[in-house]
Amino acid sequence: MKARVGIIGAGPAGLLLALLLHRSGIDSFVVERRSRAHCESRVRAGVLEQGTVDTLTAAGVGERMLAEGHVHHGIELRFGGRGHRIAFEDLVPGRAITVYGQQEVVKDLIAANLAAGVPIRFEADDVAVHDIDGDPFLTFGADRLDCDVIAGCDGFHGVSRASVPANRLRLFEKTYRFAWLGVLADVAPSASELVYSASERGFSLHSMRSDLVSRFYLQVPPDARAEDWTHEAIWAELKARHETVPGFTLATGPIREVDVAVMRSFVVEPMRFGRLFLAGDAAHIVPPTGAKGLNLAVADVRVLAAALGEYCRTGSEAGLDAYSATCLRRVWRVQHFSSWMTSLLHRFGDGDGGFDRRIQRARLEGVVRSRAQATVLAENYVGLPYEDA
């Protein structure tokens, strides 16, 4: 088989790239080792930046997102017995976030690609990358796909980055001394916007997936296991960390899913190796505090799709040559914001006699009392304009 672009991974990055290429008249072939049902049911963060919403809408997959997603014009920072709203509509007029589950984005993208005739091979066995410095091709099962370019959109544990010799990679990584316990519950949200709570017991986040489904996160030790947390213990801890302001009561209900997410930052440089281009989690991981993972993948794909369009139309590789440097400028700015949000809200221990806790409180007070500092948080949270990268 042949295609101009071979894409590994049917997550948001790979699927959006395939759709953008199709709309530019460029053929691609998507290879995914998981089943379609798995891809469409894997629950991950669902906070979409303004630029992500605009990109999906322009690509023709925004109808259900705009109808069912929840547009939020602010978030709450909760600490010291009080809640403080960061008002996007005041600080960054015309820009907001939309809460719409990543699995819903994937459903929309799969449906749009299949309707357009873009081939997607689910449950592909033994996917492998070959000859990235010459005439690249993919193999999977008994099949071979020859292509001009390979896009590695297969996540942190995928085969794309693993196919690059170690001496060509420069890795930057930081692992935090805590993890997140993620909780998906069949209960209506107790707040209309996301609540980031920096309590004395540790960080917690109240989020939502719909009018009837809520998503919560608890800061836990790095070796925590989901099976060690009973549902009663989860609700007790969530209530203790969120019911810290007068008049707020956390609604409880049946818990559908519990998982543990490692908190890490990771970047690989460069993001191009010959004819192989990495995008999304294959190239970088950010701590989830700032809700940037999916959004950063979309930013990568926008750059890559434009560069591939130029290459296929004119033969010029200028955009492809600039791909890595262009993306990494934004990647490091997002890493900085995600790291800043993480350090602003989490407990890091009191081995310093409480000095760092008091500095952290001073930083929080600075954010909610200073319009300039609040604006920095707001403009990064809703997403930097692409031209600012």
Side-chain angles (χ1 to χ4, degrees):
M1 297 178 289
K2 292 184 179 181
R4 296 300 299 269
V5 182
I7 301 173
I8 309 176
L15 293 167
L16 178 59
L17 178 60
L19 189 60
L20 293 177
L21 292 176
H22 170 76
R23 297 193 182 284
S24 296
I26 302 168
D27 65 306
S28 67
F29 193 110
V30 182
V31 179
E32 168 59 52
R33 69 185 182 92
R34 301 280 194 173
S35 68
R36 178 178 178 177
H38 176 88
C39 294
E40 293 184 337
S41 62
R42 188 168 181 254
V43 176
R44 288 296 181 267
V47 177
L48 308 183
E49 295 176 355
Q50 185 66 59
T52 297
V53 171
D54 295 343
T55 299
L56 293 172
T57 302
V61 287
E63 183 176 356
R64 196 163 68 94
M65 171 186 64
L66 296 176
E68 300 178 11
H70 292 242
V71 178
H72 290 191
H73 296 279
I75 60 173
E76 180 184 330
L77 301 182
R78 186 172 294 185
F79 63 93
R82 295 181 59 192
H84 308 267
R85 185 170 184 265
I86 305 298
F88 301 155
E89 73 274 16
D90 180 38
L91 300 166
V92 283
R95 296 159 65 194
I97 59 168
T98 298
V99 177
Y100 185 66
Q102 177 172 311
Q103 73 278 11
E104 305 304 324
V105 173
V106 168
K107 289 177 187 176
D108 296 341
L109 286 168
I110 288 176
N113 274 292
L114 293 179
V118 176
I120 305 175
R121 178 70 60 86
F122 292 103
E123 299 181 80
D125 295 327
D126 302 320
V127 179
V129 179
H130 304 274
D131 198 13
I132 60 175
D133 293 312
D135 297 316
F137 65 96
L138 300 175
T139 56
F140 43 98
D143 294 315
R144 168 173 169 150
L145 175 72
D146 292 293
C147 42
D148 295 341
V149 167
I150 297 173
C153 306
D154 50 344
F156 183 78
H157 299 288
V159 301
S160 299
R161 191 179 69 252
S163 69
V164 180
N167 61 2
R168 297 177 65 178
L169 297 166
R170 189 175 184 192
L171 306 178
F172 301 87
E173 187 167 13
K174 174 183 176 63
T175 302
Y176 291 86
R177 301 192 303 271
F178 44 80
W180 271 16
L181 186 78
V183 180
L184 191 67
D186 292 317
V187 59
S190 300
S192 59
E193 297 176 334
L194 277 70
V195 178
Y196 287 79
S197 180
S199 78
E200 292 301 315
R201 301 175 67 91
F203 168 77
S204 61
L205 171 62
H206 175 296
S207 182
M208 60 285 293
R209 289 294 173 267
S210 71
D211 291 333
L212 300 175
V213 179
S214 296
R215 182 73 163 163
F216 304 94
Y217 297 97
L218 283 169
Q219 178 185 352
V220 294
D223 57 352
R225 301 186 308 166
E227 57 267 30
D228 293 337
W229 283 78
T230 65
H231 292 186
E232 292 77 12
I234 289 171
W235 285 122
E237 193 62 30
L238 283 169
K239 289 173 75 70
R241 298 189 193 188
H242 277 289
E243 292 182 349
T244 57
V245 298
F248 181 84
T249 301
L250 186 71
T252 62
I255 291 178
R256 183 192 306 179
E257 179 182 309
V258 181
D259 54 48
V260 175
V262 175
M263 294 285 286
R264 67 156 66 93
S265 294
F266 173 86
V267 179
V268 61
E269 293 187 3
M271 291 170 58
R272 175 189 182 177
F273 305 90
R275 312 306 290 177
L276 171 65
F277 296 80
L278 303 181
D281 286 359
H284 41 70
I285 298 288
V286 292
T289 321
K292 294 301 175 193
L294 183 156
N295 296 292
L296 196 52
V298 169
D300 290 346
V301 165
R302 284 175 57 98
V303 177
L304 184 54
L308 288 170
E310 178 187 38
Y311 167 67
C312 291
R313 286 192 308 272
T314 69
S316 171
E317 296 198 18
L320 295 177
D321 291 340
Y323 169 73
S324 181
T326 301
C327 289
L328 284 169
R329 285 195 295 271
R330 190 180 188 93
V331 166
W332 282 112
R333 292 185 68 179
V334 170
Q335 287 284 5
H336 171 251
F337 174 69
S338 298
S339 175
W340 177 79
M341 280 281 285
T342 301
S343 64
L344 184 70
L345 296 163
H346 291 76
R347 287 293 300 267
F348 285 83
D350 294 320
D352 57 3
F355 181 88
D356 284 346
R357 286 291 290 169
R358 282 161 175 75
I359 291 294
Q360 186 181 55
R361 173 60 66 85
R363 292 172 65 197
L364 282 164
E365 292 283 357
V367 169
V368 301
R369 294 179 184 276
S370 164
R371 181 181 178 87
Q373 292 188 49
T375 300
V376 170
L377 190 159
E379 66 184 7
N380 280 274
Y381 199 93
V382 301
L384 298 169
Y386 292 118
E387 60 271 21
D388 285 354

